[in-house]
Amino acid sequence: MNQSSPQQFVDEIISSLPEWGRNHRALVGLSDQTALLAEAAPSPFLKALECMFEGDQSGIVGLFTDRDDWSFSASGPYIQILWALEVLAWDPKLLNRTAIILAKLAELDPAPDSNKVNRPINSLRDILLTWSPNTHANLRQRIACIDIVLSEVPAVGWQLLVKLLPRSHDSFSPTQKPKLRDVAPVHHEELTFGVVWDAQHAVVTRAIALAADNEERAIVLVNSFSAFRRNDRELVLEYIDSYLIAHRCDEADPVWVALQAMAAKHEFYADSEWAMQGEELQRIRDLLDRHRPADPLYEHKQLFDEWLPHVGQYNETVDIEPDALRKEALARVLERDGPLGILELSKKAAIPSLVAQAIDIEQITQEHLITLLEAAARRPPIGDLALYASALGARRYEDVWSRLIEEKIFPLIPDAGERCYLLLGWPVNSQTWDFVELQGEEIRAQYWRRLNIFPQGDSHDELMRAVKEFRIVGRSIEALYLGHRRLAEFSSEIIMTLLSEGLIQSESKQSGTMQSYYLEAAFKELDGRDDVERFDIARLEYSYLPIIQDQQRPLVIYEQISENPHLFVEVLSHVFRGKNSPAREHVTEQEKNIASISFRLLSSFNKLPGASENSVDLPKLESWIADVRMAAAERDLAEIADQYIGKALAHSPRFETGGIWPPTEVCVVIENFASEQIETGFEVECFNKRGAYMKSMGEGGAQERALADEYSYRAAQTVKFGRTSAMLERISDSWNRMAEREDLQAEIDKLKR
């Protein structure tokens, strides 16, 4: 496109500027020419956007929402506007106006923190980036631009400063550059370390000023602290000091906690080059000591705020055991503050469950545990600490503990659900279950609905009792999942029953991503048993097919279909209606699910009937095909059945190197049945079998041409089978045509580069 063409285009559009400024359709409709339009006529373009903000903003909002027929997507029309503004931002004279428009767009953006790179705030950040600005404006002009954004669009000001704060490992996306004109100044500013540091200093000082008395913003500065230059860190510490003075209290201020965590991390990795050391780190420690909370529990809180706390100093030859450190801390708390001190610590910790998990210490007694449970019971809801305390008591004191819980704790807890919760950590055995039975039907039912572990001992009776209770509360499939390590102890009847009952129960919450693994283990266990009918296994596989179809284990249902032509047609009828049958107006959800499963089965069926490892049983294959065609004709499914027969034939095995393919027996079948639909199904599947593939840039049709040569060779090998040879030649021709299209597309792609 020459320079006059976009200018002429601009003149035509700008002739009705007020209308254009109100109508986002005209603006967005410029598509990929928007950046050229903006560059050719920057002032009218910016004026149009400014008019939209001054008047009806619905047009701008439409760029980011599903309003009208525009959608906020990875390739939405708003991107063209951003690119146009990025182009204009290279001109120092237009930088401020462009930045304000981007800031106002960012203010309207419904998802500014989206992981999509093309966001208004990200464009603004990349333009003003301290260490690699995407504008020809010099340092003074860029700082002035930041100040204007802070003043004109304060709602976006803090967001921009956070984006511009120095980071240890940073990156950016280059913005769009001018194509029609050169707006670079004659004397371009050289980006030295001094310029970058001055820019960062300007950002940090403004961030401190804007943080003011805001806790969340103060924490952001603390978390970014280590990436600042030393003089900027001094400023931040002075700000944090004054902030903590203004917010002094007995409790630990979240800003103080964040600063402590940051200091601990640098002490832990003191040998690293990036870690602060010496006087600077000591100054932080002095600041922390001056504002240390009066509550002594905060000395230990850090251990329970992170899964892997930064305690001591990192040494790759010595493993630090956080669990041991936490238990030592709880022992000190117990000695100083008693069991209620542990309860208070769990309330203050960022991860209360870590306090609960460390409670198994030698110093804690039965009386301590009862005191903990009594305090927790008086301040519901019951939390992890009470659960672990109850479990610890049950393991240590057995029958005595059951009596204490029933006499002292349960009277304080009227809710059956919370009573049940205290029992979930008890040993999974008959002694616990007998106690649960005594608590009444409601607690018993809740216990078995919420229990997520099976007995792992040697007692077969306990295992079967757990299975029975899970079945009663409708968790048959979960019983199978939780007991998968002991499947050998399950009778075949029990496994089949659990699988069958699982089909009519709600989806398991226990299985997660392991559902396929658990089911495969169950079916493998059945495969090795001779007291289960293969057809019954196939029936269950069919029901669970969406979950198990990608297993490495060969499915029995494929074997059944390849041996039972009537079953094959039955599955086919679940997906397709008869050719002359009228369309049904109402289809139930169950019928839709069955159709979906059946289609999956037909799509993944690749076993040739009558085939063994070394040969194909021709009479068996012919009999299967004849029976399928006869049964399909009775249901008016003849054509589609033939196509799926052809699909099966396309998966014929290769028995020997240099031998013909398809095997002679399959060629005979193709010749004898002489069905165009069988051949169509065969041809289609030969293309589908290719599956997913990759190509290098500009590769063209080399892969397709190799496939064409392969099928042409096969056609020559089977020349004595006329229909088969012609069919293979047609496949070869199709691959050649596809190769030509790929060659053409490769040449077109070259022209785009």
Side-chain angles (χ1 to χ4, degrees):
M1 180 180 294
N2 56 42
Q3 187 165 346
S4 61
S5 179
Q7 184 61 60
Q8 182 179 1
F9 185 58
V10 169
D11 293 340
E12 294 174 358
I13 297 295
I14 301 302
S15 60
S16 56
L17 179 59
E19 180 182 356
W20 184 40
R22 290 192 302 270
N23 187 351
H24 80 277
R25 290 179 179 276
L27 189 60
V28 176
L30 301 176
S31 187
D32 58 348
Q33 299 187 60
T34 306
L36 292 176
L37 167 66
E39 188 180 356
S43 293
F45 182 86
L46 291 173
K47 182 62 178 175
L49 285 172
E50 289 165 348
C51 287
M52 294 172 75
F53 281 109
E54 292 170 2
D56 180 12
Q57 294 188 10
S58 61
I60 290 290
V61 175
L63 299 176
F64 298 93
T65 66
D66 291 331
R67 180 181 179 273
D68 297 327
D69 54 355
W70 300 114
S71 62
F72 186 56
S73 62
S75 58
Y78 74 98
I79 294 176
Q80 307 297 334
I81 304 297
L82 298 186
W83 289 353
L85 292 170
E86 289 174 359
V87 168
L88 297 182
W90 284 95
D91 189 342
K93 297 189 293 296
L94 301 175
L95 175 61
N96 291 344
R97 290 177 69 187
T98 302
I100 290 173
I101 291 174
L102 281 169
K104 289 183 176 180
L105 288 173
E107 189 176 10
L108 296 174
D109 188 348
D113 297 324
S114 169
N115 58 5
K116 293 187 177 70
V117 175
N118 291 305
R119 314 301 296 208
I121 190 63
N122 289 340
S123 293
L124 188 56
R125 178 254 184 189
D126 290 338
I127 290 168
L128 298 172
L129 194 60
T130 57
W131 54 272
S132 184
N134 283 264
T135 176
H136 292 307
N138 59 34
L139 173 62
R140 179 181 57 80
Q141 293 169 319
R142 297 198 304 274
I143 294 175
C145 180
I146 293 174
D147 288 335
I148 289 173
V149 171
L150 295 179
S151 174
E152 296 290 328
V153 197
V156 178
W158 174 254
Q159 186 183 2
L160 174 61
L161 290 177
V162 171
K163 293 275 188 179
L164 293 175
L165 285 175
R167 302 175 189 172
S168 298
H169 300 283
D170 208 353
S171 62
F172 80 104
S173 298
T175 65
Q176 294 291 310
K177 292 186 175 182
K179 295 181 176 63
L180 301 178
R181 65 176 74 186
D182 185 7
V183 295
V186 176
H187 302 291
H188 193 278
E189 179 183 63
E190 184 178 355
L191 197 66
T192 63
F193 280 112
V195 170
V196 173
W197 293 337
D198 287 345
Q200 292 178 347
H201 177 72
V203 171
V204 172
T205 54
R206 283 156 178 78
I208 292 173
L210 210 57
D213 204 38
N214 187 296
E215 176 187 293
E216 182 179 342
R217 294 181 177 183
I219 292 175
V220 169
L221 287 174
V222 170
N223 292 337
S224 305
F225 178 85
S226 59
F228 299 169
R229 286 187 51 76
R230 184 158 185 167
N231 62 325
D232 291 334
R233 292 203 290 262
E234 293 287 338
L235 295 176
V236 174
L237 284 180
E238 291 175 5
Y239 160 71
I240 296 299
D241 193 13
S242 62
Y243 177 92
L244 292 175
I245 290 173
H247 296 79
R248 188 182 300 278
C249 63
D250 291 341
E251 298 288 326
D253 189 281
V255 177
W256 184 90
V257 173
L259 187 63
Q260 183 197 41
M262 185 271 294
K265 180 179 179 180
H266 283 263
E267 288 181 342
F268 188 74
Y269 295 107
D271 293 339
S272 302
E273 293 182 0
W274 53 266
M276 290 183 292
Q277 299 178 2
E279 295 181 3
E280 190 174 17
L281 192 57
Q282 184 57 47
R283 180 177 176 187
I284 297 174
R285 277 295 168 201
D286 292 342
L287 189 154
L288 289 169
D289 289 339
R290 285 199 305 274
H291 300 285
R292 187 172 297 280
D295 189 341
L297 288 178
Y298 285 96
E299 296 178 12
H300 315 293
K301 180 176 177 294
Q302 181 188 351
L303 288 167
F304 304 93
D305 285 346
E306 299 179 78
W307 291 100
L308 295 174
H310 298 115
V311 178
Q313 187 168 338
Y314 174 74
N315 187 331
E316 60 184 15
T317 61
V318 179
D319 290 333
I320 295 178
E321 299 182 5
D323 290 342
L325 295 175
R326 291 180 183 122
K327 289 186 177 183
E328 292 174 5
L330 286 192
R332 292 194 293 271
V333 171
L334 182 65
E335 181 180 4
R336 184 184 65 224
D337 303 321
L340 296 182
I342 295 178
L343 182 62
E344 286 301 313
L345 179 60
S346 71
K347 294 178 180 179
K348 299 178 187 298
I351 310 177
S353 61
L354 291 178
V355 179
Q357 292 170 21
I359 199 175
D360 187 5
I361 55 178
E362 183 179 347
Q363 295 87 341
I364 202 163
T365 65
Q366 177 179 289
E367 290 73 18
H368 290 149
L369 294 174
I370 290 295
T371 301
L372 269 176
L373 289 174
E374 288 175 337
R378 291 189 178 98
R379 287 184 282 183
I382 303 296
D384 286 349
L385 184 61
L387 171 69
Y388 278 79
S390 177
L392 179 60
R395 290 200 306 272
R396 285 187 181 180
Y397 308 116
E398 299 180 348
D399 290 340
V400 174
W401 186 253
S402 301
R403 187 176 66 255
L404 288 172
I405 290 292
E406 198 166 25
E407 293 175 356
K408 294 189 173 185
I409 305 303
F410 278 0
L412 302 175
I413 306 176
D415 184 72
E418 295 198 331
R419 288 187 182 185
C420 170
Y421 183 67
L422 287 181
L423 306 178
L424 293 176
W426 287 25
V428 186
N429 56 32
S430 293
Q431 185 176 349
T432 296
W433 301 338
D434 291 341
F435 179 78
V436 170
E437 292 278 354
L438 295 175
Q439 306 312 308
E441 180 58 29
E442 185 177 0
I443 290 180
R444 188 202 68 79
Q446 286 210 36
Y447 175 85
W448 289 108
R449 288 194 188 102
R450 298 167 70 178
L451 186 66
N452 285 323
I453 189 172
F454 250 37
Q456 302 299 320
D458 297 328
S459 173
H460 179 75
D461 291 340
E462 286 184 348
L463 176 64
M464 290 300 103
R465 180 177 177 181
V467 170
K468 176 184 176 182
E469 295 289 353
F470 267 65
R471 290 180 62 194
I472 290 173
V473 296
R475 298 179 68 192
S476 298
I477 197 66
E478 291 186 72
L480 197 64
Y481 296 162
L482 292 170
H484 75 281
R485 296 183 184 277
R486 302 181 66 180
L487 281 176
E489 300 178 49
F490 287 50
S491 68
S492 300
E493 181 183 0
I494 285 292
I495 296 177
M496 296 290 287
T497 300
L498 294 175
L499 287 169
S500 298
E501 292 176 350
L503 292 171
I504 59 176
Q505 295 169 358
S506 59
E507 184 177 352
S508 167
K509 297 179 181 179
Q510 176 69 22
S511 58
T513 57
M514 296 292 290
Q515 194 172 13
S516 176
Y517 171 79
Y518 295 142
L519 288 173
E520 183 173 15
F523 281 114
K524 277 184 176 179
E525 186 66 34
L526 292 174
D527 287 341
R529 302 188 179 188
D530 55 9
D531 58 346
V532 184
E533 293 291 335
R534 303 288 284 175
F535 183 81
D536 292 334
I537 296 176
R539 176 179 54 82
L540 287 170
E541 286 180 341
Y542 175 73
S543 301
Y544 285 103
L545 190 67
I547 305 172
I548 66 174
Q549 68 176 3
D550 296 326
Q551 292 179 356
Q552 293 183 352
R553 165 185 166 271
L555 299 185
V556 175
I557 193 168
Y558 295 149
E559 169 193 309
Q560 292 293 307
I561 287 178
S562 67
E563 294 178 355
N564 188 334
H566 295 283
L567 176 60
F568 181 83
V569 176
E570 181 68 26
V571 174
L572 200 67
S573 68
H574 293 160
V575 183
F576 303 98
R577 60 184 172 88
K579 183 177 180 181
N580 299 307
S581 301
R584 293 174 55 186
E585 295 183 3
H586 302 289
V587 180
T588 65
E589 284 299 318
Q590 182 180 11
E591 289 172 328
K592 291 178 182 179
N593 291 335
I594 292 174
S596 177
I597 294 173
S598 298
F599 183 74
R600 285 174 179 264
L601 178 58
L602 292 171
S603 299
S604 57
F605 177 58
N606 57 10
K607 181 177 177 61
L608 180 68
S612 62
E613 292 184 2
N614 302 313
S615 63
V616 175
D617 187 331
L618 180 57
K620 188 174 182 179
L621 175 58
E622 287 183 321
S623 174
W624 183 87
I625 294 175
D627 290 345
V628 165
R629 300 187 83 197
M630 183 181 299
E634 293 174 357
R635 301 193 183 206
D636 198 18
L637 296 170
E639 289 189 6
I640 193 65
D642 275 3
Q643 289 185 22
Y644 272 89
I645 290 170
K647 177 182 180 297
L649 296 178
H651 288 280
S652 301
R654 295 179 177 85
F655 295 118
E656 57 184 58
T657 304
I660 69 170
W661 187 90
T664 301
E665 294 83 358
V666 174
C667 293
V668 169
V669 165
I670 293 173
E671 301 299 317
N672 290 345
F673 284 97
S675 167
E676 291 184 3
Q677 294 299 330
I678 289 179
E679 293 168 18
T680 296
F682 189 102
E683 293 175 31
V684 170
E685 187 62 13
C686 284
F687 286 96
N688 291 340
K689 283 195 306 181
R690 184 187 190 187
Y693 61 94
M694 297 179 62
K695 286 197 172 195
S696 58
M697 187 176 295
E699 178 182 342
Q703 295 182 32
E704 289 76 14
R705 199 165 287 107
L707 288 167
D709 292 343
E710 180 180 344
Y711 278 95
S712 180
Y713 173 73
R714 292 172 179 171
Q717 280 188 311
T718 57
V719 68
K720 66 178 181 178
F721 300 102
R723 297 187 69 94
T724 305
S725 181
M727 178 182 67
L728 295 172
E729 199 61 59
R730 289 196 300 273
I731 296 173
S732 176
D733 292 342
S734 296
W735 282 120
N736 273 321
R737 287 193 295 272
M738 190 175 293
E740 292 172 0
R741 289 197 296 270
E742 292 292 331
D743 289 339
L744 178 60
Q745 187 61 50
E747 293 301 318
I748 293 174
D749 291 341
K750 287 179 184 178
L751 295 176
K752 294 180 180 179
R753 295 196 292 270

